[in-house]
Amino acid sequence: MRSASIANVSIALALMLQPCALAAQTTPTTPPSSAAPALYIVPPAWSEVIDPLTIDDEDFARHRDPKEWAGMSVRRLVFSDGEINWSVWRIVNEQHRDGPLWVLPHDNENATFGAALIALRRYGGIAMAIDDRAGRMNYDAARGASVDPNRHFYDAIPLYAERMLADLGTPPRLIVALHTNSPGFAQGISLCPIAGLGGSGDISIRLCTARYIPHPSLKKGWPFDDEDTLALVPFTVGGDWRAAFCVRSLMAADFNLITEQVSSSDGSLSNYALDHRLTYINFETRERGSDTAGLADAQGRLTAMIDRAMTICGTAPAAPPALPVAASPPARPQAATPAARSLR
């Protein structure tokens, strides 16, 4: 997912407009629910209209068929959360805007883009895709640090989450996150290591930790013949995991399913959604590269999970319980190292 650099004048204009935009956001446009922490709905950031058939970006370059974009609008949003600058693609099905909010946090997980386009056409809604020039991390040169877009959802850094989730609406729509991940998992992080299995990831149906509780498919039929293809749903520590969004239906449909037991937030969207009583599900599959066959395989598995889940779970479920403990973000983003790399 590599795009050409935004023109210097555009960046300058966007950043100059930030103070004005922030001043205008002091009063929420929608009153927060009394049943959940405040989640203000803010207007879009500075943006520009994008032609998906001509924009210089690897994701869009793989999808130049006009039929894929019929009824869609695309804008590039540019904003700062106070310290870090962000660029995000906002893709809207203008003929069916009231579907889920599809979130693509990592720009190097290329199969998620094609899967999101298919999902937008079939189920409507709005997609928010981070543009990090084909990278996984948002590298901020001024700070000299790499920031994981899926470890930046904290109430103490409100503008980032508010921008990414500005289209939730009232009542909030379902959030669907899409990811691809490295094969397997590091044995050292598992509470139930399995001889002969390993890898570089931290999400797998064979992995079990205090946070990630696996519920494997019994028949292991496609797409779940792959141990890295799964759905993930969060629930609050001490709560009933079976009461989490769509868990019973997903297990009855023989999904590979991980229930994420959350005691304090790690800054991920799943944890933020739980804290704010937003309904969330994540679909993951193994990263298979950017060649035609690899993309088609990964995209097909993501799409199969989405199709099944949209059928059995619907798109307007009840909100999950809130986290009992508020979380604070790290003091400042730290440079990423291979050992610390997260796959979500």
Side-chain angles (χ1 to χ4, degrees), residues 45-252:
W46 178 90
S47 66
E48 59 180 338
V49 176
I50 295 299
D51 181 352
L53 302 181
T54 61
I55 183 68
D56 181 16
D57 178 87
E58 288 183 354
D59 281 317
F60 289 90
R62 285 187 285 265
H63 299 277
R64 296 299 197 198
D65 185 346
K67 294 179 182 178
E68 293 189 83
W69 299 99
M72 304 280 191
S73 68
V74 184
R75 302 188 74 91
R76 176 164 43 196
L77 312 185
V78 177
F79 65 92
S80 170
D81 62 21
E83 296 180 344
I84 307 296
N85 299 324
W86 298 93
S87 176
V88 185
W89 306 113
R90 179 177 180 267
I91 308 172
V92 182
N93 183 335
E94 296 291 355
Q95 299 174 347
H96 184 187
R97 295 173 63 98
D98 57 348
L101 180 66
W102 311 91
V103 181
L104 286 60
H106 293 134
D107 200 2
N108 66 330
E109 299 176 350
N110 297 314
T112 62
F113 193 88
L117 289 183
I118 294 172
L120 277 169
R121 292 196 300 274
R122 292 180 180 174
Y123 307 106
I126 299 172
M128 298 290 282
I130 293 288
D131 173 26
D132 278 333
R133 297 167 297 281
R136 176 181 182 79
M137 311 291 276
N138 182 357
Y139 181 74
D140 184 66
R143 296 289 299 275
S146 294
V147 179
D148 186 335
N150 199 38
R151 289 295 183 273
H152 206 60
F153 288 92
Y154 287 105
D155 287 337
I157 316 172
L159 189 57
Y160 175 73
E162 289 168 0
R163 293 297 193 196
M164 291 296 294
L165 305 179
D167 290 297
L168 276 175
T170 305
R173 65 183 82 211
L174 171 67
I175 300 171
V176 181
L178 302 178
H179 289 272
T180 59
N181 57 72
S182 295
F185 60 92
Q187 289 278 351
I189 66 175
S190 181
L191 297 178
C192 52
I194 302 171
L197 291 181
S200 58
D202 64 0
I203 294 291
S204 167
I205 202 60
R206 302 296 291 274
L207 167 69
C208 57
T209 69
R211 177 179 288 266
Y212 299 132
I213 303 169
H215 310 274
S217 167
L218 298 178
K219 297 180 181 178
K220 296 181 172 54
W222 189 91
F224 303 114
D225 55 329
D226 170 1
E227 295 169 350
D228 297 306
T229 297
L230 52 88
L232 180 146
V233 178
F235 74 101
T236 305
V237 65
D240 184 358
W241 60 267
R242 292 165 295 188
F245 169 60
C246 203
V247 161
R248 296 178 187 272
S249 297
L250 293 170
M251 293 184 69

Side-chain angles (χ1 to χ4, degrees), residues 102 111 114-116 118-119 122-123 178 221-225 229-231 250 253-256 281 283-285 295-313:
W102 311 91
I118 294 172
R122 292 180 180 174
Y123 307 106
L178 302 178
W222 189 91
F224 303 114
D225 55 329
T229 297
L230 52 88
L250 293 170
D254 203 31
F255 267 60
N256 275 342
I281 189 168
F283 298 111
E284 308 234 3
T285 193
L295 284 172
D297 189 353
Q299 179 178 301
R301 290 172 186 267
L302 288 170
T303 300
M305 287 190 288
I306 292 169
D307 287 345
R308 294 185 193 182
M310 293 300 102
T311 298
I312 64 177
C313 302

Side-chain angles (χ1 to χ4, degrees), residues 247-313:
V247 161
R248 296 178 187 272
S249 297
L250 293 170
M251 293 184 69
D254 203 31
F255 267 60
N256 275 342
L257 174 67
I258 286 180
T259 49
E260 181 186 11
Q261 180 173 239
V262 181
S263 59
S264 61
S265 178
D266 61 3
S268 62
L269 179 53
S270 64
N271 290 195
Y272 185 90
L274 188 67
D275 191 24
H276 288 270
R277 298 178 60 80
L278 302 170
T279 308
Y280 169 99
I281 189 168
N282 169 23
F283 298 111
E284 308 234 3
T285 193
R286 180 178 299 171
E287 174 60 46
R288 289 173 167 80
S290 296
D291 60 280
T292 302
L295 284 172
D297 189 353
Q299 179 178 301
R301 290 172 186 267
L302 288 170
T303 300
M305 287 190 288
I306 292 169
D307 287 345
R308 294 185 193 182
M310 293 300 102
T311 298
I312 64 177
C313 302

